[in-house]
Amino acid sequence: MLRIQSLQISSFFATLPSRSPSLISISKASATRLRSPMAYHATSSGATGKLLFRQLFEKESSTYTYLLADVSRPEKPALLIDPVDKTLDRDLLLIQELGLKLIYAMNTHVHADHVTGTGLIKGKVPGVKSIISRASNAKADLVVEPGDKIYFGDLFLEVRPTPGHTCGCVTYVTGDGPDQPQPRMAFTGDALLIRGCGRTDFQGGSSPQLYKSVHSQIFTLPKETLVYPAHDYRGFTVSTVGEEMQYNPRLAKDEETFKNIMENLNLSYPKMMEIAVPANMDTIVQDDRRITYLLESGYKTTLPVTRLVCPKERRHVRVAVSLTVVIELR
């Protein structure tokens, strides 16, 4: 049984450490849970009426943010998965209107196409903890590992490792059991999209690894499990494991065919990559400093972070850095 020992924070580009006590929950069996009010409702089961769920959309990067809460608890504890900086005010207003208590702001991986709203949320909502996988090497209040369970109220999300798009991708899956919503829900990030998948040509990506991740960690879930990805570019909102096993034009193929498809996508790098990756590697707000990133393209965004550390020789990205950094102390 794993218990919370301390709020350890992974170093920026640290080597992956050996397994230590989980920072967020007991994984594996039952036992002591990290309590907090929040949950989502998907269908009929013993958990009907417990789970509040909202799927939110940011149109510029075509990103989905997910709000889950356990409304059966007086505090109505809630969490956000993959929040975006540009839609932060909308999301926080919705949380306020619904009378929820936000306790976690989580990411499925270090995003390259948008800046996460996690750090901004921490600056606006006291007590919120940021969460990301230990394998991502990113900074967060809580880092999770395969098998960990993230509790919000009486509901929980299971952490499943799905690297391949990036080395630190995870899929968050709602719990299994009579007291959990059914059918189960899988928040797959960029590992599995609706009729597609995330690219594998940067940030430690690997086509063979992604294929194995999806087939071993997602396609082994019940076929009726709902699939909620981090992005969609064609207007789809949800799929199922069974649908993707049958109709996904990449991952329904054999591994060799999949590798050939991924090696010949010839995609350009995301336009936000040089801003998003270094910004998203640190999701902890400790003071009110502001870092303004100015790209030659004219894009400008301001967000609170503790510091910017981006040595070229240790970048996770395979592109040159062309950033102008202006630090404003307020």
Side-chain angles (χ1 to χ4, degrees), residues 10-323:
S10 58
S11 59
F12 192 82
F13 283 102
T15 305
L16 288 181
S18 58
R19 175 73 180 182
S20 60
S22 169
L23 298 179
I24 183 158
S25 72
I26 50 162
S27 59
K28 312 308 180 239
S30 45
T32 312
R33 312 183 206 176
L34 182 65
R35 291 282 183 175
S36 45
M38 204 46 146
Y40 168 105
H41 167 58
T43 61
S44 60
S45 74
T48 299
K50 283 187 177 182
L51 180 62
L52 178 145
F53 173 75
R54 294 290 186 273
Q55 182 181 45
L56 307 166
F57 188 66
E58 192 280 308
K59 62 182 180 179
E60 185 168 326
S61 61
S62 297
T63 298
Y64 284 124
T65 296
Y66 298 99
L67 171 65
L68 291 79
D70 183 351
V71 294
S72 71
R73 301 293 294 274
E75 305 91 341
K76 297 182 181 179
L79 57 82
L80 280 172
I81 299 174
D82 290 333
V84 180
D85 63 340
K86 293 185 178 181
T87 49
L88 174 66
D89 290 339
R90 175 203 66 186
D91 298 350
L92 292 182
L93 177 60
L94 176 62
I95 290 169
Q96 180 182 5
E97 290 174 343
L98 295 176
L100 308 177
K101 180 181 179 182
L102 185 64
I103 56 173
Y104 297 129
M106 308 160 52
N107 284 290
T108 53
H109 63 291
V110 175
H111 301 277
D113 55 1
H114 68 270
V115 175
T116 178
T118 307
L120 288 167
I121 289 171
K122 286 178 56 61
K124 291 175 177 285
V125 185
V128 173
K129 301 296 184 184
S130 58
I131 296 176
I132 201 165
S133 74
R134 183 181 296 277
S136 69
N137 281 332
K139 285 191 175 183
D141 295 308
L142 305 170
V143 290
V144 292
E145 300 191 42
D148 285 349
K149 293 178 180 179
I150 303 166
Y151 277 86
F152 54 108
D154 293 323
L155 305 179
F156 69 87
L157 297 176
E158 172 193 339
V159 179
R160 293 197 169 206
T162 48
H165 170 61
T166 74
C167 57
C169 288
V170 294
T171 291
Y172 298 116
V173 184
T174 54
D176 189 17
D179 60 341
Q180 301 297 312
Q182 298 295 328
R184 299 179 75 181
M185 308 164 73
F187 300 93
T188 57
D190 287 15
L192 176 63
L193 305 179
I194 298 173
R195 307 301 192 268
C197 64
R199 60 195 296 170
T200 58
D201 56 336
F202 61 81
Q203 283 184 281
S206 164
S207 296
Q209 189 177 42
L210 180 58
Y211 189 88
K212 290 180 174 64
S213 292
V214 172
H215 279 260
S216 66
Q217 298 296 324
I218 300 175
F219 284 178
T220 53
L221 290 164
K223 291 184 179 180
E224 66 271 17
T225 301
L226 300 171
V227 172
Y228 288 102
H231 302 280
D232 190 86
Y233 308 97
R234 295 177 295 167
F236 293 113
T237 57
V238 63
S239 183
T240 66
V241 165
E243 279 186 37
E244 295 309 312
M245 290 175 67
Q246 184 173 359
Y247 299 118
N248 192 293
R250 299 178 184 177
L251 287 156
K253 309 292 187 184
D254 61 81
E255 184 175 350
E256 194 59 36
T257 302
F258 175 76
K259 288 166 60 178
N260 290 334
I261 291 172
M262 300 306 290
E263 288 170 1
N264 291 283
L265 293 178
N266 298 317
L267 300 173
S268 59
Y269 282 123
K271 64 179 182 179
M272 281 288 296
M273 189 172 188
E274 292 182 349
I275 282 183
V277 172
N280 293 340
M281 288 298 292
D282 193 337
T283 61
I284 303 170
V285 181
Q286 294 176 329
D287 54 39
D288 63 353
R289 283 181 293 177
R290 299 291 187 271
I291 302 240
T292 303
Y293 302 87
L294 303 173
L295 286 183
E296 294 176 358
S297 64
Y299 180 89
K300 180 177 180 179
T301 184
T302 302
L303 67 158
V305 295
T306 50
R307 61 182 177 278
L308 174 64
V309 181
C310 192
K312 294 182 183 180
E313 69 277 9
R314 302 183 76 182
R315 284 288 298 274
H316 280 232
V317 226
R318 299 173 189 165
V319 291
V321 182
S322 60
L323 295 177

